[in-house]
């Protein structure tokens, strides 16, 4: 599984990245977690609100921070 956190480096983006890492660890799943800060690459996902969460190239959340429990639910 590949998980991307799309964001420009703001505090919400950094917080979501940490939350995703925690969720992956708690679930004990094999996943690559990537923080994408390149605006050109972010624009390829057609996302206007950051941070955004992409799981296996599908945008599953955008424009808000998520709790660990919310991320775990999206990853299951």
């Amino acid at each position: 599984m590949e998980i991307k956190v799309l964001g420009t480096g703001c505090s919400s983006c950094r917080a979501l990245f940490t939350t995703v890492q925690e969720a992956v660890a708690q679930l004990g799943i094999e996943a690559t977690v990537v923080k994408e800060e390149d605006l050109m690459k972010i624009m390829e996902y057609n996302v206007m609100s950051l941070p955004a969460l992409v799981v296996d190239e599908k945008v599953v959340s955008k424009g808000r921070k998520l709790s660990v429990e919310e991320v775990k639910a999206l990853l299951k």
Side-chain angles (χ1 to χ4, degrees):
M1 176 182 295
E2 182 179 40
I3 304 166
K4 294 181 184 176
V5 176
L6 309 180
T8 57
C10 65
S11 62
S12 295
C13 301
R14 290 191 305 267
L16 181 58
F17 182 74
T18 302
T19 301
V20 169
Q21 289 178 314
E22 289 176 32
V24 168
Q26 287 181 18
L27 289 172
I29 59 175
E30 289 286 326
T32 303
V33 182
V34 177
K35 188 166 187 265
E36 184 59 67
E37 295 182 348
D38 183 332
L39 277 177
M40 295 308 287
K41 290 183 181 178
I42 291 171
M43 289 172 59
E44 291 174 8
Y45 291 95
N46 202 23
V47 173
M48 296 298 172
S49 301
L50 298 175
L53 184 63
V54 178
V55 178
D56 291 331
E57 296 303 314
K58 180 181 179 213
V59 178
V60 296
S61 174
K62 55 188 170 185
R64 65 187 199 100
K65 293 191 313 187
L66 301 169
S67 69
V68 172
E69 293 304 316
E70 290 171 315
V71 173
K72 286 167 57 174
L74 290 170
L75 298 179
K76 288 183 181 177

